[in-house]
Amino acid sequence: MNIEIKELVFAYPNGVLALEGVTVGIPTGSLVAIVGQNGAGKTTLVKHLNGLLRPTSGLVQIGDWDTRQRSVAELANRIGFIFQNPDDQLFCRTVKEEVQFGPRSLGFENDRIETLVEAALELTELHEKASQNPYDLSPAWRKMVALASILAMDTPIVVMDEPTTGQDAVSIERISRIVQSLHGSGKTVIAITHDIDFCAENFERMIVMRQGMVVLDGPIQEVVAEREMLASTYVEQPQITRLAKRLGFSTIVYKPDDFIRVLHDS
Amino acid sequence: MPDRLSFFIPRESRVHSLNPLTKLALAFSLIILAFFGPGLFLPVALYFFVLVPLSLLGKVGKEFLQTSFRLLLPLFAFLFVMQSLFYPGGETVIFSFWIFSATSEGVVFAFRTATRILVMVSSFLLLLLTTHPSTLMNDLSRRGVPASLSYIITSTLQIIPQMQARAVTIQDAQRSRGLDTGGNLINRIRSLLPLVGPLVFSSLVDVEERAIAIEARAFTLPVKKTSLIDIPDSRGEAVLRWVMAALSLMTIGYRIWLSLN
Amino acid sequence: MALIELKNLTYHYPLTNSPALQDLDLEVQEGEFLAIVGANGAGKSTLCYTISGFIPHFFKGELAGSVSVAGIDPTKAGLGEFVQKVGLVFQNPFNQISGSKFTVYEEIAFGLENLGIDPAEMRERVDEIIRLTRIEDLKDRSPYALSGGQQQRVALASILVMRPQILVLDEPTSQLDPIGSQEVFQVIKDMALQGMTIIMAEHKVEWVAEFADRILALSAGQAIKLGTPREVLGSPELPEHGIGISRYTQVARKALQAGLWPEKRSMPVTLDECVQGFQEIIA
Ligand SMILES: Nc1ncnc2c1ncn2[C@@H]1O[C@H](COP(=O)(O)OP(=O)(O)OP(=O)(O)O)[C@@H](O)[C@H]1O
Ligand SMILES: Nc1ncnc2c1ncn2[C@@H]1O[C@H](COP(=O)(O)OP(=O)(O)OP(=O)(O)O)[C@@H](O)[C@H]1O
Ligand SMILES: [Mg+2]
Ligand SMILES: [Mg+2]
C-alpha cells in the first residue's frame, strides 16, 4: 500500500500555516522515521494520512484512495495511528476493551478479533494489566496501551507519533522489537521521534522537517551525515556518529556494533 | 483540541470594557426581574429592549442571536406543545383535535416559562460572550470572594465549550479506530452512544487534573491576587451596581408582598 | 541543615500494599542539581510529589519517616506554603494548562497573578521567561493550539516564571527536540548556579551526565545508588535495574569486552570522557 503526498499545504483554522508544500512518497513496506524541531509540522503531516486533517491544498493518497473522498473510519482500515498524547486516544474502561475496540469497529470476525487482541497484548506485554482501567496506568504504560490498540487493527500501515517518550530502556527495547516485527510482516511503519539514536538504530529512511517543509529525505546513513542541516532544525547527530567524528573516523557510523568494527579495523 | 474553550469573543466594545462584576450584576438583576417582576410581557421586553441592544453594542449581536436561538428553539417547541396541551387545570379551550385540546391557560403558562428561560440563558450568554473568564475570576477574588468559589463560578460558565472540545477529541479517537460516525441520521445518533461514557469519565478526570494544575500555580494561596489585564471599574459603574441590586430587592419585595396578600 | 532532608521515608499510595518509596534517605543542599533516574514505575514521580508537597496533600496514602523541605514539614504545613517555595513541573505536559486563559502570555502570567505580583514586574518576568524557553512567537497563540513540544515549553515556563526556591521537574524534556532539550538543561543549570535548587527526574542520561551535580538511581522505590554522575551512571549494575545508559557507556562496555578500551579507565558517561578513552586506544 503506497502513500503519495503531493504539494500538501495545510493551515489551521486560527491561520497558522503548518505545512507549506510537502511532497513525499512512501512505498509499501518502508521503515521511515520523521524528525525535526518542535512545531515543524510532523504531527500535522501524519494526521493527514488517516484523514483527521484534510489538505488545504494538495493531495494525499493511500493506495488508490484519495483521503478527501474517504471518511476517517474508512481510512482506519488502512492506517493505524498512535497519537502523541495517549490521553487523546484512550477512552475505554479496561485495557482489553480498548484493544478490542478497533478490530470490532472494523467488523472483523470474532475469531480474528480474539487472535489479534491476544497477539497485541502479548507483544506489548500488557497481559496482566488487561483488566485495569487505562487511566490508572502510568503515562508510559498508557502509551503502550495506545500502541496495542492499534496493533490489533492489523492495518497495512502503522503510524506512531513519539512512541518512545517517557519510556525506560526495557520498554524502548520492546518498542524496537514491535517495529521490527511489523516490518518483518511487510507492513509500512512510520514513526515520529526526537530520539535520534532510536531512530538511527531501528529505521531505514529518515525524513527531516523544518518549519512546515521537508528539508532532507534519504537513507539513514546519508541523512545522519548532514550535521548542519540537522542542527538547523534542532536535531543532533546520533551519539555514535558524534563520537566517531570526534575520533576522526572517515566513515559515517551510527550503531554501536559498527563503531566497534570500524575501531577494530583501524 | 479546538482553541476556544469558552464563549468569549475578544473584541473592543463598550460592553467588553465594562467591569465584569457589573455584567454579572446585570445578568442577575435581569433574571430576577424576569422571574419576579410584574406583567406577562416584561421578559420579552427585557430581551428585545435590553439584551438585544446590548449585544449589538457589544459587537456580538450575530453570535448572541445565533447561539440563543440554537440553544432555545428546540426547548421552546417542546414547552409549548407539552404545556398548551397538558397544562393541568386549563379550562379555556382554544382548539381541539382528536383527544387533545389546547387551553389558553396552558399557552400563557408556556409563554411565561419560555420567555423567562430566554432571559435567563441570554443574560448569561451576553456576559460570557463579552467577558474574559479569568478577568471575572480575578475581579471576584480581588473583591474578597474565596479563590475556590470564584473558580467554581467561572469554570461552571465554561462547561459547555469544554465538553464540546472533549467530545471532538473522543470522536476523533473513535473514528481513527474505525467507528463510523458520519453518514445518515441514524448512524450519527447511534455513534453518540459510545461517546457518553467516555465523555462523562474524562470530564471528571479533567476536573481533577485541572485542580492539581492550578494548585501548582499557587491558585489557592491566600494572598491578594493581581491581574495582568487591567480590570476596568468606575464610580459610575459602582453606582449602577447598587441601583441594580436595589431594583432586584424591590422586585423580590414586591413578589413577597403580592403573595402575602 | 540541608535544604531538603528525607529520613527513612516510606510511602504507600492509597489502597496499595507495596510501597512506592521505601526507606529513602536523601539530603540536598541549596543550589544543588540532583537528577533522579530509574525505570518506569521506579518511583521518580512519587519522589517529585513528595518533595513538592503534593504527597500527602493531594495524594493521600500513608507517609512514614520524616520529610523536611526548606524547613517545612509537609504533615504540618499546608500546600500553599509549599507552592510558594517549591515549583513542580508535572510529567504530563498536556494537562498543565489552567483552562481560563486565552493566550500563552496570559497562561504564563497566571502563577504570578496568584502570587500577587505587581503587573509591571509581571510583564518583565514573563517576557524574560518567554525568551529563555524560546516561545516568543507563540505568545499570542491559544495555549491549546500548540504542538506537543510547544505545550511542554509553556508548562515549564509557567513554573519557572514563579522563581521558586526549589524547582522540581518531572521529565521536563520528554517532548522536546534534541537541541531544545539540551538548551533546557543549560537554562536549568544556570538557575542552579544562581542558587536555585533543582530536582529533576529524567531518562536522558546523556544530558544528566553532563549537567547534574549528583544522581539518585531508584529501583522499585528504593535508592540503589547516589553519587556523582560518573559513580552512578558508570556503575555496572544499572542495566539490571532497567535503567538506560548512554551510547557512550554502552559502546565503551562493548569495547572493553573486545579489548579496545584502556583497562585502568573507568566507564565513560560523557562524550568527552569517551573520546579520551578511545584516543588512548587509537594512539
Ligand atoms: N490545534 C492546533 N491549532 C492551531 N495550530 C496548531 C494546532 N496544533 C499545532 N499547531 C501549530 O502547527 C504547527 C505544527 O505543529 P505540529 O503539532 O505538527 O508540530 P510537531 O512537528 O508535531 O511538533 P512537536 O515535536 O512539538 O510535537 C506548530 O506551529 C503548532 O503551533
Ligand atoms: N496514584 C497512584 N495510585 C496508586 N499507585 C500509584 C499511583 N501513582 C503511581 N503508583 C505506583 O507507584 C509506583 C511508582 O510510580 P511512579 O509514577 O512514581 O514511577 P516513575 O518512576 O515516575 O515511572 P515513570 O517513568 O513511568 O514515570 C508504581 O508502582 C506505580 O504503579
Ligand atoms: Mg507532534
Ligand atoms: Mg513518572
Side-chain angles (χ1 to χ4, degrees):
Chain A
M1 188 122 335
N2 297 341
I3 299 174
E4 283 300 332
I5 300 170
K6 290 206 187 89
E7 297 293 327
L8 174 60
V9 173
F10 180 77
Y12 280 98
N14 63 354
V16 175
L17 189 58
L19 296 175
E20 309 186 13
V22 171
T23 300
V24 185
I26 301 177
T28 310
S30 300
L31 195 50
V32 191
I34 305 177
V35 304
Q37 76 189 105
N38 293 134
K42 306 180 294 297
T43 301
T44 310
L45 178 66
V46 297
K47 279 190 172 171
H48 279 83
L49 297 179
N50 77 340
L52 280 177
L53 297 175
R54 306 284 170 170
T56 304
S57 73
L59 183 74
V60 179
Q61 268 192 312
I62 311 295
D64 53 352
W65 289 359
D66 178 340
T67 60
R68 281 172 303 189
Q69 278 138 27
R70 303 286 162 170
S71 69
V72 177
E74 265 178 288
L75 285 160
N77 286 289
R78 299 191 167 180
I79 302 266
F81 176 46
I82 297 145
F83 288 52
Q84 185 164 6
N85 177 5
D87 299 355
D88 286 350
Q89 180 163 5
L90 305 179
F91 50 82
C92 293
R93 256 178 308 225
T94 68
V95 169
K96 184 128 190 195
E97 280 173 42
E98 198 75 64
V99 182
Q100 288 168 335
F101 189 92
R104 277 209 181 133
S105 325
L106 292 176
F108 292 172
E109 308 253 313
N110 281 344
D111 286 353
R112 183 158 172 228
I113 296 179
E114 186 81 3
T115 324
L116 286 170
V117 169
E118 279 305 302
L121 291 175
E122 189 72 43
L123 268 176
T124 48
E125 297 174 32
L126 276 166
H127 260 303
E128 45 188 274
K129 299 188 167 62
S131 56
Q132 271 176 280
N133 187 323
Y135 265 97
D136 292 335
L137 299 177
S138 75
W141 279 109
R142 276 214 290 277
K143 194 89 188 187
M144 219 37 93
V145 178
L147 183 58
S149 72
I150 296 305
L151 292 179
M153 286 163 66
D154 195 22
T155 50
I157 301 167
V158 176
V159 181
M160 310 178 176
D161 199 346
E162 304 282 2
T164 62
T165 49
Q167 306 287 348
D168 62 16
V170 178
S171 313
I172 293 181
E173 245 338 274
R174 187 186 310 126
I175 295 168
S176 299
R177 281 199 304 274
I178 294 172
V179 168
Q180 297 313 330
S181 105
L182 289 171
H183 182 57
S185 54
K187 295 177 192 280
T188 303
V189 184
I190 302 172
I192 295 176
T193 182
H194 289 302
D195 185 342
I196 196 79
D197 302 296
F198 167 78
C199 160
E201 286 158 23
N202 292 284
F203 289 81
E204 291 170 352
R205 172 178 164 195
M206 198 153 130
I207 296 174
V208 183
M209 294 188 68
R210 182 180 70 208
Q211 293 173 1
M213 282 181 279
V214 170
V215 291
L216 277 178
D217 181 355
I220 297 282
Q221 63 268 27
E222 283 172 26
V223 174
V224 295
E226 304 276 346
R227 196 187 71 82
E228 263 141 47
M229 198 52 148
L230 290 174
S232 75
T233 185
Y234 287 85
V235 176
E236 272 195 312
Q237 291 179 300
Q239 294 176 19
I240 299 294
T241 314
R242 275 181 274 162
L243 174 63
K245 182 159 191 266
R246 285 276 297 275
L247 293 170
F249 283 22
S250 53
T251 48
I252 292 287
V253 290
Y254 49 89
K255 290 184 182 173
D257 290 334
D258 294 345
F259 176 88
I260 299 287
R261 218 191 47 244
V262 175
L263 184 70
H264 195 267
D265 295 346
S266 68
Chain B
M1 275 256 171
D3 51 326
R4 269 187 58 206
L5 285 194
S6 138
F7 286 108
F8 177 60
I9 303 172
R11 288 193 184 133
E12 300 268 318
S13 86
R14 298 265 290 279
V15 182
H16 281 77
S17 59
L18 283 176
N19 181 278
L21 189 63
T22 311
K23 286 182 267 189
L24 191 63
L26 178 70
F28 276 116
S29 37
L30 286 177
I31 293 167
I32 288 172
L33 269 177
F35 276 77
F36 303 123
L40 182 57
F41 293 101
L42 183 65
V44 193
L46 290 176
Y47 183 74
F48 285 106
F49 299 116
V50 181
L51 284 161
V52 174
L54 278 176
S55 76
L56 294 176
L57 184 68
K59 299 188 185 154
V60 291
K62 189 171 137 250
E63 290 85 353
F64 177 79
L65 291 172
Q66 237 173 29
T67 320
S68 53
F69 282 128
R70 205 177 294 153
L71 282 175
L72 297 173
L73 231 46
L75 179 70
F76 288 179
F78 177 75
L79 246 166
F80 268 89
V81 172
M82 295 308 283
Q83 294 299 348
S84 37
L85 297 181
F86 301 116
Y87 185 68
E91 279 163 8
T92 332
V93 176
I94 311 171
F95 68 90
S96 57
F97 66 94
W98 194 28
I99 54 165
F100 301 111
S101 42
T103 62
S104 69
E105 288 86 353
V107 173
V108 168
F109 181 82
F111 179 76
R112 194 191 303 272
T113 316
T115 51
R116 283 173 175 174
I117 293 176
L118 175 69
V119 170
M120 181 164 88
V121 171
S122 49
S123 306
F124 274 114
L125 193 61
L126 180 68
L127 167 76
L128 293 178
L129 284 169
T130 59
T131 313
H132 191 313
S134 82
T135 327
L136 175 62
M137 194 158 79
N138 281 349
D139 195 45
L140 290 179
S141 46
R142 188 171 73 166
R143 293 173 199 274
V145 176
S148 44
L149 182 60
S150 63
Y151 181 72
I152 290 169
I153 295 175
T154 44
S155 56
T156 313
L157 296 178
Q158 281 177 276
I159 212 159
I160 292 173
Q162 253 154 23
M163 295 275 265
Q164 273 172 345
R166 203 66 227 172
V168 169
T169 308
I170 295 169
Q171 284 205 312
D172 274 354
Q174 297 181 330
R175 292 189 299 153
S176 302
R177 278 198 261 150
L179 186 73
D180 192 1
T181 58
N184 58 29
L185 192 65
I186 296 180
N187 219 357
R188 272 169 207 253
I189 292 173
R190 200 167 28 196
S191 73
L192 288 180
L193 269 177
L195 178 65
V196 180
L199 188 59
V200 172
F201 181 72
S202 69
S203 299
L204 293 177
V205 174
D206 273 357
V207 169
E208 191 178 312
E209 282 176 345
R210 182 139 312 138
I212 189 170
I214 61 172
E215 196 75 68
R217 311 271 284 284
F219 183 72
T220 52
L221 196 70
V223 303
K224 209 169 158 71
K225 293 188 195 317
T226 48
S227 177
L228 174 73
I229 303 166
D230 196 31
I231 305 176
D233 201 8
S234 64
R235 279 214 78 82
E237 280 192 51
V239 172
L240 195 64
R241 287 196 291 268
W242 283 114
V243 172
M244 289 190 291
L247 201 62
S248 305
L249 278 180
M250 276 160 59
T251 313
I252 292 171
Y254 161 79
R255 177 57 35 155
I256 293 170
W257 179 77
L258 269 192
S259 66
L260 289 180
N261 285 276
Chain C
M1 186 172 151
L3 190 63
I4 301 173
E5 272 193 17
L6 310 181
K7 281 208 195 90
N8 220 346
L9 175 75
T10 297
Y11 173 75
H12 288 81
Y13 279 101
L15 311 175
T16 57
N17 296 322
S18 51
L21 293 175
Q22 199 181 348
D23 297 328
L24 206 65
D25 288 298
L26 179 68
E27 287 193 5
V28 183
Q29 303 298 330
E30 185 150 13
E32 196 178 351
F33 184 161
L34 176 85
I36 309 168
V37 300
N40 294 141
K44 302 182 294 299
S45 300
T46 309
L47 183 53
C48 289
Y49 290 143
T50 310
I51 295 174
S52 49
F54 282 86
I55 289 175
H57 287 292
F58 216 93
F59 300 96
K60 304 297 179 194
E62 194 186 306
L63 186 67
S66 81
V67 179
S68 153
V69 177
I72 320 173
D73 176 349
T75 54
K76 302 206 177 76
L79 196 49
E81 274 181 68
F82 264 91
V83 173
Q84 271 176 310
K85 294 195 169 163
V86 190
L88 171 64
V89 179
F90 293 87
Q91 179 165 2
N92 184 346
F94 303 109
N95 57 15
Q96 294 181 51
I97 298 172
S98 70
S100 56
K101 300 293 182 179
F102 285 86
T103 66
V104 165
Y105 197 93
E106 292 173 8
E107 177 67 28
I108 295 174
F110 178 66
L112 298 182
E113 294 181 328
N114 295 331
L115 291 176
I117 306 289
D118 161 74
E121 188 191 337
M122 203 185 295
R123 283 182 189 279
E124 250 169 57
R125 279 166 69 168
V126 175
D127 286 334
E128 184 200 342
I129 283 302
I130 281 185
R131 202 164 27 74
L132 273 180
T133 47
R134 269 202 306 110
I135 48 177
E136 286 126 314
D137 47 340
L138 304 178
K139 68 181 195 314
D140 299 321
R141 294 262 288 275
S142 155
Y144 288 98
L146 298 178
S147 81
Q150 291 169 339
Q151 283 196 23
Q152 190 161 43
R153 283 165 203 264
V154 172
L156 178 66
S158 303
I159 297 295
L160 279 182
V161 77
M162 292 167 73
R163 293 189 188 156
Q165 187 185 359
I166 299 170
L167 179 62
V168 183
L169 305 146
D170 196 353
E171 302 186 31
T173 67
S174 58
Q175 307 284 336
L176 298 192
D177 52 47
I179 297 185
S181 315
Q182 199 183 338
E183 284 176 354
V184 163
F185 269 96
Q186 187 63 56
V187 165
I188 286 162
K189 180 78 186 175
D190 290 345
M191 299 204 160
L193 293 175
Q194 287 163 26
M196 197 183 272
T197 306
I198 313 285
I199 309 290
M200 182 200 269
E202 186 58 78
H203 286 295
K204 293 180 181 163
V205 282
E206 183 198 359
W207 299 123
V208 166
E210 282 303 330
F211 289 95
D213 297 320
R214 277 195 308 157
I215 297 179
L216 169 68
L218 288 179
S219 177
Q222 285 176 303
I224 50 166
K225 276 256 164 245
L226 174 63
T228 63
R230 188 186 304 203
E231 284 164 5
V232 175
L233 297 177
S235 126
E237 305 123 67
L238 284 203
E240 292 161 28
H241 296 281
I243 302 174
I245 50 175
S246 72
R247 298 299 190 283
Y248 306 131
T249 318
Q250 266 176 39
V251 85
R253 279 216 184 120
K254 289 193 179 205
L256 185 66
Q257 279 165 14
L260 293 169
W261 181 258
E263 263 172 30
K264 45 192 188 314
R265 264 190 180 269
S266 56
M267 282 292 108
V269 296
T270 63
L271 176 58
D272 284 337
E273 288 170 15
C274 197
V275 169
Q276 284 158 17
F278 283 119
Q279 269 167 350
E280 260 177 52
I281 287 286
I282 294 172

